Amino acid sequence: MKKTLLIASLAIIVAACSKKEKEYDATGTFEATEVTISAEANGQLTLLSADEGQEVARGTVMGYVDKKQLELKKQQLEASLRQLDASRKQLAATRSSNDSRQLDLEKQLASIRQQIANAQRERQRFSELYKDGAVARKQVDDIVYQISVLEKQLTATEDQIRSNNAAFDDQNRGISAQIEGVSRQADGIEAQIAQIDDQIAKADIVSPIMGTILEKYVESGELVTVGKPLLKLADTQNMFIRAYVTSAQLQQVKVGQKVKVFADYGDNQKHTYDGTVTWISNRSEFTPKTILTDDERADLVYAMKVALKNDGFVKIGMYGEVKF
């Protein structure tokens, strides 16, 4: 009887333990977005102030490829641009001077016309005074002579304006064509300067993300070519765990779902993080050997990613667990 009760008790305990809920629903390893920085310019690596394990902010300049020749070429182009600008200003000043001379002649012409009008009024007034015997005939004749002289000046000025207009128009058209040519040359040089600026900017080694330097492939003083890997960085602040779920578990998880993530430090030491499911694979695959599940190895599983904020303790490649 006692033996029967003991067996029954053990059966109940085993059944209870078998029904105990697991602490996790999926396991995987922690990963981070990795970026390989490659050279964008050819030449000697003048400076590379970066060390493995160093954290850098986005946009940090960590070194540069020699750009002395590029800077000298830019200075030469800028000098040519200044010369063209001076030529353009000189041509514009000549055209403006022509316009001013034409305007002066127009003003002079208007002045002569006004003098003639004034003289004609004086002639009319003195003619009436002469009829009344108030003035001598000579005064009237003097005014008539003055009008004659002014009319000749008017005719000469009009002829000069017509002649100058034709000459100035031809000259100004030539000047405008020269200015247009100089402007096109300046546009070409400005485009070359923009290309040089782009090449100078590409000579700088800039971090595209905020992250940690994982690997350093070159040292200062080495010659590099376009495309040569220089550094590898990882965004270790915004990490994710790549875990795997069975087809039966798919109904329990969806993109955007909030879950719990456990970082396994060994010896039952774990740290809990808030995570968000950001991706679930549409294709099944065989369970990776690094994943530990209660299912058989041959079972098909689906990969998923859970993003989390790292507090500095989670490392790439560390094992972790996910609880839905």
Side-chain angles (χ1 to χ4, degrees), residues 260-277:
K260 291 295 182 181
V261 178
F262 306 100
D264 189 352
Y265 298 105
D267 295 331
N268 292 322
Q269 296 183 24
K270 296 183 180 180
H271 197 289
T272 305
Y273 299 90
D274 294 324
T276 304
V277 178

Side-chain angles (χ1 to χ4, degrees), residues 168-281:
F168 287 158
D169 288 344
D170 290 341
Q171 188 175 2
N172 286 345
R173 278 193 293 269
I175 291 174
S176 296
Q178 292 180 62
I179 291 176
E180 180 65 23
V182 170
S183 297
R184 284 196 295 269
Q185 292 181 53
D187 291 341
I189 291 178
E190 287 175 349
Q192 293 181 58
I193 291 175
Q195 290 177 339
I196 295 293
D197 284 338
D198 182 63
Q199 293 174 10
I200 290 175
K202 288 181 176 178
D204 290 335
I205 302 166
V206 182
S207 173
I209 62 171
M210 173 180 287
T212 303
I213 299 175
L214 299 182
E215 295 183 69
K216 182 179 179 181
Y217 304 121
V218 293
E219 296 292 342
S220 299
E222 294 187 32
L223 290 175
V224 297
T225 56
V226 174
K228 180 178 177 64
L230 306 176
L231 301 164
K232 179 184 284 187
L233 278 74
D235 182 0
T236 53
Q237 291 189 353
N238 301 289
M239 296 185 66
F240 59 91
I241 181 172
R242 182 186 293 270
Y244 294 84
V245 295
T246 64
S247 57
Q249 291 176 302
L250 284 177
Q251 61 182 348
Q252 303 178 42
V253 62
K254 62 181 180 178
V255 174
Q257 180 177 337
K258 303 297 182 181
V259 298
K260 291 295 182 181
V261 178
F262 306 100
D264 189 352
Y265 298 105
D267 295 331
N268 292 322
Q269 296 183 24
K270 296 183 180 180
H271 197 289
T272 305
Y273 299 90
D274 294 324
T276 304
V277 178
T278 58
W279 172 78
I280 301 175
S281 176

Side-chain angles (χ1 to χ4, degrees), residues 128-139:
E128 292 176 357
L129 291 173
Y130 171 71
K131 290 178 181 180
D132 295 337
V135 296
R137 176 68 186 181
K138 185 177 183 306
Q139 290 181 284

